[in-house]
Amino acid sequence: MERLIRTGKVRTYSSAEITHSRIGIGFEKLDRGMFDPEKAYDKVAATGAKWVRIQSGWARTEQEKGVYSFEWLDRIVHNLIRRDMQPWICLCYGNGLYDEEAAKIFGAVGHPPRTEEQYRAWDRYIKAVVSRYRGKVQWYEVWNEPDGIWCWKTGPNGTDYGHLVLRTAEAIRAADPDAKVIGGSQCLFGLAWLHDVLATGAGKVMDAFSYHNYAADERGLPALVAGSKALLHQYNPAIKLIQGETGTQSRSGGAGALNPGAWTPLRQAKYMARHTITDFMSDIMFNSYFSCMDMCEALDGIVGNISTRKDYGYFGILAAEFDEDGIASGNFTPKISYRTFQVLCSVFQGNFEKIDLPLNFRPHSASPRAMFQKEPESAEMMFAGFQNAGGKAFAYWKPVDLLRETYAGTCTIHTCMKDKVRLVDLLDGSVYELPQEMDGIHDSTLYKGSREFLHLPLLDYPLLLTFGDFCSIDLNP
């Protein structure tokens, strides 16, 4: 990067300054009170995130049969909306008032309704939630990761989940005909499970389908999403796609997805950038990064035994400490990923679309930056083109295994595009212009007249070539 001319940085915006976005963040586990949201609202709003996923917490809200205490959830919804963020609510989990097994589990996690009494109580609760937030919240998700034993402790069953979606959708629309239903929250991409869900007719009542991805290697994700999308559209071609959770730890030794890996704050930020661009390769309505801060996973806690819910997760863009009860505390300090998230929210705000751009990689047999070794071919890279009202952009990176290696090389790109070009580092928002020797008109017979970007930096996380005014920039003074 030292050969480039640093001219400024990406201009960042708060959530209130961004009118539309396809980027969101997780604000989960407040149904179990795992952090103090008051210390998080302003820091999350400063990133520019628009969509914020929260969980409704049946067990926290209804602690006496038929009596709903929404004050805790009111404060969350109000504070997010006041900062121009849009909450969407995951309707979950069980309730020990109606289920002896659920009563043993902290937050009644993973215990869906099974008896008719439980279903009727669930129906009443759903109607109460949706009625309460009519005009404030539009999108409601049915359960969380029902294809995983940790969140469907009776044993994942697509047919049972499909029936829950059907019944919940009816209750949602009875309370608010304008509300939207999100099904799925699927984390394992099992087509057999999804087929069983859709065979119940549940696809017909879904406005969107959400999926989670926690793959360390993002290269196979577009194909997995395409397979699920194809099956969904056999039942309902209008279903939208939402990437509802992805993320990784910023250190080793934590609980939750990908926890065995030797993750670091830098690797977490690279993962975030790689997965966000990969999300945009699929036709998603929006995505959601997990999560806003470090907190306990709190999926298998036993009531009366605090030690069973001290399963610390380090997925946050804000670092936290933990008190004696396992509650996230401290100052909530931004990590490297906080800045990366802020840059992504700024660059990819507003309306944009994935497009094919008139450019290609040309392996160069003599890259001086690699001691004259051959540059990688396109098959060795991940890349995608985008367009918005201001210009076009091309994201590219070498998808090496983040846990075993780093990569810094070069690549050569040919194009016929004539717009002013800049290179944006999506990790920290630095903006560069290319020196003359890297940006020129090719004069060989084969490529005559084409524009050549010679020996561009190629890293193990996305760099973004922008053409025109794809994003706003603060120039160096």
Side-chain angles (χ1 to χ4, degrees):
M1 302 292 280
E2 73 274 7
R3 295 176 300 144
L4 306 182
I5 306 164
R6 191 182 188 281
T7 57
K9 61 183 180 180
V10 169
R11 180 179 300 166
T12 55
Y13 300 86
S14 70
S15 300
E17 295 172 306
I18 293 176
T19 57
H20 171 71
S21 176
R22 289 163 61 183
I23 297 182
I25 196 163
F27 218 72
E28 295 94 347
K29 303 185 190 295
L30 288 171
D31 58 314
R32 283 148 281 169
M34 299 317 298
F35 67 94
D36 178 4
E38 294 295 332
K39 295 193 296 183
Y41 293 125
D42 288 339
K43 290 179 178 179
V44 172
T47 67
K50 293 299 285 187
W51 295 92
V52 182
R53 184 175 186 250
I54 59 179
Q55 292 173 303
S56 66
W58 185 14
R60 182 173 181 180
T61 303
E62 186 182 358
Q63 298 186 7
E64 178 183 343
K65 285 188 177 182
V67 178
Y68 303 110
S69 300
F70 282 110
E71 291 78 10
W72 70 276
L73 193 54
D74 288 345
R75 289 192 294 272
I76 297 167
V77 171
H78 169 75
N79 274 289
L80 293 173
I81 291 175
R82 186 165 67 84
R83 292 166 174 83
D84 285 299
M85 293 183 280
Q86 179 57 61
W88 56 294
I89 295 180
C90 175
L91 299 165
C92 60
Y93 284 111
N95 194 312
L97 292 174
Y98 306 95
D99 185 335
E100 291 182 358
E101 292 302 311
K104 301 173 184 177
I105 303 298
F106 178 60
V109 172
H111 285 274
R114 288 171 294 161
T115 68
E116 186 56 32
E117 180 196 11
Q118 291 166 7
Y119 267 115
R120 286 196 298 268
W122 172 259
D123 293 343
R124 292 191 296 270
Y125 168 68
I126 298 306
K127 291 176 182 177
V129 173
V130 177
S131 296
R132 182 97 177 175
Y133 302 114
R134 184 171 180 170
K136 296 179 181 178
V137 176
Q138 186 177 31
W139 291 86
Y140 293 90
E141 182 180 47
V142 183
W143 215 257
N144 178 59
E145 298 190 354
D147 58 329
I149 188 66
W150 49 90
C151 284
W152 198 275
K153 289 183 167 63
T154 56
N157 183 298
T159 300
D160 289 348
Y161 177 69
H163 289 313
L164 180 66
V165 172
L166 286 168
R167 188 150 184 167
T168 306
E170 183 178 359
I172 289 172
R173 293 189 171 113
D176 181 1
D178 295 324
K180 304 295 184 183
V181 176
I182 304 170
S185 194
Q186 186 182 12
C187 60
L188 299 178
F189 286 99
L191 290 179
W193 179 88
L194 179 56
H195 175 271
D196 289 345
V197 173
L198 297 172
T200 66
K204 298 292 185 183
V205 301
M206 295 181 195
D207 296 288
F209 179 87
S210 61
Y211 64 90
H212 298 177
N213 76 68
Y214 286 95
D217 183 344
E218 74 277 11
R219 286 175 293 183
L221 288 172
L224 284 174
V225 175
S228 296
K229 179 180 179 181
L231 181 56
L232 287 161
H233 283 188
Q234 287 181 15
Y235 289 85
N236 182 356
I239 290 179
K240 300 178 184 298
L241 287 178
I242 295 168
Q243 189 284 98
E245 275 189 37
T246 190
T248 196
Q249 318 268 355
S250 60
R251 51 164 284 184
S252 57
L258 305 179
N259 71 83
W263 297 103
T264 67
L266 179 58
R267 286 171 175 162
Q268 181 194 43
K270 291 179 179 180
Y271 178 104
M272 171 190 285
R274 285 164 60 151
H275 277 250
T276 299
I277 301 300
T278 303
D279 285 342
F280 294 151
M281 291 180 182
S282 301
D283 185 21
I284 60 166
M285 177 182 166
F286 62 86
N287 70 4
S288 187
Y289 192 79
F290 182 84
S291 63
C292 65
M293 73 176 55
D294 295 345
M295 66 186 86
C296 289
E297 289 294 286
L299 292 175
D300 295 299
I302 304 299
V303 171
N305 187 345
I306 292 176
S307 66
T308 60
R309 56 179 170 85
K310 289 186 177 182
D311 46 355
Y312 304 118
Y314 301 99
F315 292 88
I317 62 173
L318 296 168
E321 300 169 2
F322 294 95
D323 67 17
E324 64 275 9
D325 294 321
I327 308 302
S329 60
N331 295 322
F332 300 162
T333 307
K335 302 179 187 177
I336 298 172
S337 58
Y338 181 93
R339 173 60 179 167
T340 301
F341 188 73
Q342 196 174 41
V343 170
L344 290 165
C345 288
S346 175
V347 170
F348 290 97
Q349 66 175 293
N351 293 312
F352 66 90
E353 59 179 335
K354 179 182 176 294
I355 62 168
D356 294 323
L357 292 174
L359 51 74
N360 55 54
F361 294 97
R362 185 170 74 87
H364 201 284
S365 60
S367 172
R369 302 296 294 177
M371 292 307 295
F372 304 99
Q373 296 183 54
K374 184 178 179 180
E375 291 179 327
E377 299 184 18
S378 59
E380 302 173 63
M381 291 184 268
M382 292 279 283
F383 51 89
F386 303 99
Q387 177 177 265
N388 63 19
K392 298 178 175 64
F394 183 70
Y396 66 96
W397 70 99
K398 186 82 157 52
V400 299
D401 185 337
L402 284 173
L403 295 174
R404 295 194 299 172
E405 58 184 306
T406 59
Y407 184 87
T410 65
C411 63
T412 296
I413 293 177
H414 280 221
T415 184
C416 59
M417 300 169 67
K418 304 301 183 184
D419 306 90
K420 180 177 178 58
V421 66
R422 295 184 177 91
L423 189 141
V424 178
D425 186 327
L426 291 178
L427 214 63
D428 67 5
S430 294
V431 178
Y432 302 88
E433 291 185 2
L434 305 183
Q436 186 174 355
E437 63 269 20
M438 293 177 66
D439 181 4
I441 303 299
H442 207 285
D443 59 2
S444 71
T445 302
L446 181 61
Y447 296 99
K448 190 172 181 64
S450 67
R451 189 179 188 182
E452 179 180 67
F453 303 127
L454 184 64
H455 308 315
L456 287 174
L458 172 64
L459 302 176
D460 53 5
Y461 62 87
L463 298 175
L464 191 74
L465 276 177
T466 64
F467 300 87
D469 297 317
F470 187 84
C471 60
S472 297
I473 298 167
D474 287 327
L475 297 176
N476 289 335

